[in-house]
């Protein structure tokens, strides 16, 4: 399969998971792809969006990135229902179209890319470990907690910088904030991404997000 076939990382990760491509080649492209400033290891939908986001992050200390529509991303949502169904775990239009300006940019690419790379055998790669550690820290970050994890917008706050951590993920070392109506907006996506990662099943993090829904 031609590398040029994949116009975004969500489709590339989907193809890896379903053995529809040359896994080693496409997996390396994911590992070498742009990382969001302030979110170590995470994955962008595409390099073109990555350039925009990182340029904004370098020049702002406060505020929220503008999630304006980009036609290529909207075309992807409308033309790839099977991929979006797999990525979100639902075909409910409330989620696909409510989040099309947000989750498709960083959250969904991140979880599906982690899932693909873990399945491809890259559990010990520093990019994968960084991404998982950032997932853990993002969940327990004060900026995110203030928003009740209710949407992906905290990822796009200029003042959100997660510590770069290359250690083996510790799924027992998660913070416990005072209880409130916290949903952790994409817990099902995170849990599926980590299901095959050693040490996750039965861990404190697994128990914390197991029953949470979209």
């Amino acid at each position: 399969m031609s590398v040029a076939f994949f116009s975004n990382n969500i489709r590339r990760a989907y193809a890896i998971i379903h053995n529809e491509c040359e896994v080693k080649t496409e997996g390396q492209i994911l590992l070498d792809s742009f990382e969001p400033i302030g979110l170590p290891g995470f994955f962008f939908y595409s390099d073109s969006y990555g350039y925009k986001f990182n340029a904004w992050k370098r020049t702002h200390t406060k505020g929220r990135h503008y999630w304006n529509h980009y036609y290529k991303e909207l075309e992807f949502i409308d033309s790839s229902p099977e991929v979006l169904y797999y990525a979100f775990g639902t075909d409910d239009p409330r989620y696909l179209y409510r989040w099309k300006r947000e989750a498709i940019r960083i959250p969904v690419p991140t979880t599906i890319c982690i899932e693909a790379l873990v399945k491809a055998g890259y559990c010990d790669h520093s990019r994968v470990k960084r991404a998982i550690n950032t997932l853990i820290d993002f969940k327990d970050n004060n900026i995110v907690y203030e928003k009740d994890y209710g949407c992906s917008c905290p990822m796009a706050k200029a003042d959100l910088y997660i510590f770069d951590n290359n250690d083996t993920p510790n799924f027992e070392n998660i913070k416990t904030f005072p209880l409130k109506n916290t949903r952790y907006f994409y817990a099902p996506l995170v849990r599926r991404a980590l299901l095959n990662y050693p040490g996750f099943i039965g861990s404190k993090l697994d128990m914390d997000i197991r029953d949470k829904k979209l």
Side-chain angles (χ1 to χ4, degrees), residues 156-194:
K157 287 183 70 67
D159 52 339
L160 178 63
Y161 279 82
I162 302 295
F163 178 69
D164 194 344
N165 183 356
N166 290 287
D167 295 341
T168 298
N170 182 353
F171 301 115
E172 301 295 339
N173 185 25
I174 65 171
K175 302 171 187 173
T176 302
F177 282 110
L179 289 176
K180 59 182 186 178
N181 187 25
T182 301
R183 294 175 53 207
Y184 189 18
F185 77 102
Y186 68 136
L189 285 68
V190 171
R191 187 165 188 274
R192 189 184 62 197
L194 299 176

Side-chain angles (χ1 to χ4, degrees), residues 64-123:
R64 180 177 177 275
H65 190 251
Y66 182 52
W67 295 103
N68 194 18
H69 296 295
Y70 295 101
Y71 289 112
K72 287 184 179 180
E73 295 161 21
L74 299 185
E75 288 172 1
F76 169 67
I77 289 172
D78 291 328
S79 66
S80 307
E82 74 287 355
V83 179
L84 267 294
Y85 177 83
Y86 184 80
F88 281 102
T90 179
D91 56 5
D92 188 328
R94 290 179 301 169
Y95 297 113
L96 297 188
Y97 288 92
R98 174 189 172 196
W99 289 351
K100 65 185 177 182
R101 296 175 298 122
E102 298 188 2
I104 201 171
R105 308 293 167 74
I106 300 175
V108 169
T110 293
T111 53
I112 198 171
C113 286
I114 290 173
E115 180 184 0
L117 290 167
V118 168
K119 181 177 181 181
Y122 291 101
C123 290

Side-chain angles (χ1 to χ4, degrees), residues 191-210:
R191 187 165 188 274
R192 189 184 62 197
L194 299 176
L195 277 176
N196 293 310
Y197 198 92
F200 173 73
I201 294 296
S203 68
K204 187 177 178 181
L205 179 61
D206 179 21
M207 295 298 103
D208 191 49
I209 68 177
R210 177 172 289 189

Side-chain angles (χ1 to χ4, degrees), residues 9-146:
N9 285 332
I10 295 177
R11 186 178 286 281
R12 175 172 285 111
Y14 179 88
I16 291 172
I17 292 167
H18 292 87
N19 296 310
E20 297 176 352
C21 64
E22 207 294 301
V23 170
K24 185 175 180 180
T25 298
E26 303 303 334
Q28 192 60 51
I29 292 173
L30 287 183
L31 291 168
D32 293 338
S33 66
F34 254 23
E35 295 184 37
I37 292 175
L39 295 165
F42 271 27
F43 295 86
F44 285 118
Y45 170 82
S46 64
D47 282 351
S48 60
Y49 178 69
Y51 282 115
K52 295 181 179 77
F53 180 89
N54 282 352
W56 169 81
K57 191 89 173 190
R58 290 188 186 98
T59 55
H60 291 73
T61 57
K62 292 183 179 180
R64 180 177 177 275
H65 190 251
Y66 182 52
W67 295 103
N68 194 18
H69 296 295
Y70 295 101
Y71 289 112
K72 287 184 179 180
E73 295 161 21
L74 299 185
E75 288 172 1
F76 169 67
I77 289 172
D78 291 328
S79 66
S80 307
E82 74 287 355
V83 179
L84 267 294
Y85 177 83
Y86 184 80
F88 281 102
T90 179
D91 56 5
D92 188 328
R94 290 179 301 169
Y95 297 113
L96 297 188
Y97 288 92
R98 174 189 172 196
W99 289 351
K100 65 185 177 182
R101 296 175 298 122
E102 298 188 2
I104 201 171
R105 308 293 167 74
I106 300 175
V108 169
T110 293
T111 53
I112 198 171
C113 286
I114 290 173
E115 180 184 0
L117 290 167
V118 168
K119 181 177 181 181
Y122 291 101
C123 290
D124 291 329
H125 194 282
S126 60
R127 174 76 182 264
V128 176
K129 291 191 288 188
R130 280 201 311 278
I132 293 173
N133 283 323
T134 299
L135 275 180
I136 296 170
D137 288 349
F138 174 79
K139 175 184 176 296
D140 293 330
N141 184 276
N142 285 320
I143 291 174
V144 182
Y145 176 71
E146 291 172 1

